[in-house]
Amino acid sequence: MLSNEQLLNYEQVGFIPAVDVMSADEALEIRRSLEAFEATQGGQLDASQRSRAFLLFKWLDDLIRDPRVLDPIEQLIGPNILCWSTIFWIKEAGSQSFVDWHQDNTYWGLSSRRVVTAWFAISDASTEAGCMGVIPGTHNGDTLAHEDTYHKNNMLSRGQRIMNLDKDKAVLMPLRAGQMSLHNYCLAHGSGPNVSADRRMGVSMHFMPPETSQVVGSWDCASLVRGVDTYQHFVHAPRPRFDMDPESVAFHEKASTAMRDVLYAGAQQKLARL
Ligand SMILES: O=C(O)CCC(=O)C(=O)O
């Protein structure tokens, strides 16, 4: 559980840097499951498999419902919780991949400013490996101007980045495998390349209160992971009974396409990144 001090600090700075979720051994089991799947298709995940993969992998559906993840989320947004999406962030050892500074509320079409990202470290996300950094307090200000760069190494859909950002106050959030960081999705955040000898493997989970609505896409879905949803603004996603359950895989196609349409709304190019 988060302390009162952590909760107060979250309101002010917009993030909580390192919360223990599980042991490194348990995280390694997750890594093994993911890498076993990657191996079945001869390498890395496809773009569409990066997003909303809780519809593909039972272990990820379990993670978005894990009390060790949800208890802190409940303290931040209340007892009724929808998971809008998950996204894999995998940087290969020595890769130049980076995530430029951005605020997610700019692109996700969600009406709420209270969406929380839990970024879970499947492998160590050290400073060397390109852990995430944040600019404290930016969640409380205006949404900053972004530009689409389509930079080849930027892992974001459009290679977007905040223009004219003062990065002097940036804080890095290194995590050990099995820990998560929490941040408000309006907070400016990003990460550098992975210069370590191991893959940096993480999955972000995006939680919102059910009064949230989708204001860009005409159809959207979410998973009810705790409590009740009296608003029904999102179609509730099915749960996979096992990895690659054909019913939830079929739903994933619609769900990941809908998310992609929202992320690329108004963009000049659609890249195969998400
Ligand atoms: O993995 C990263 O470095 C960035 C992740 C991110 O942008 C997010 O979780 O919203």
Side-chain angles (χ1 to χ4, degrees), residues 4 11 28 62 113 122 139 146 192 202 229 231 236 238:
N4 284 342
E11 292 308 319
L28 185 58
D62 290 341
R113 288 188 66 88
I122 298 172
H139 65 305
H146 288 62
D229 174 9
Y231 295 87
H236 288 184

Side-chain angles (χ1 to χ4, degrees), residues 172-274:
L172 292 177
M173 300 196 294
L175 296 172
R176 288 194 313 271
Q179 292 184 314
M180 67 177 173
S181 60
L182 300 167
H183 71 265
N184 179 303
Y185 87 140
C186 302
L187 192 72
H189 59 287
S191 66
N194 176 7
V195 296
S196 81
D198 193 13
R199 309 177 80 192
R200 189 209 74 156
M201 305 173 73
V203 62
S204 57
M205 302 173 266
H206 309 290
F207 297 103
M208 59 191 183
E211 56 268 30
T212 310
S213 51
Q214 172 54 257
V215 297
V216 171
S218 53
W219 180 94
D220 206 357
C221 62
S223 283
L224 180 64
V225 291
R226 186 171 274 188
V228 290
D229 174 9
T230 53
Y231 295 87
Q232 302 282 322
H233 290 154
F234 293 82
V235 173
H236 288 184
R239 297 187 66 174
R241 292 162 297 176
F242 44 85
D243 285 358
M244 303 308 279
D245 181 339
E247 279 179 31
S248 57
V249 169
F251 192 88
H252 175 260
E253 189 168 344
K254 186 172 164 92
S256 58
T257 303
M259 183 166 156
R260 184 176 155 77
D261 288 346
V262 167
L263 295 183
Y264 283 101
Q268 288 190 340
Q269 294 177 45
K270 263 192 173 183
L271 305 178
R273 286 183 183 171
L274 271 171

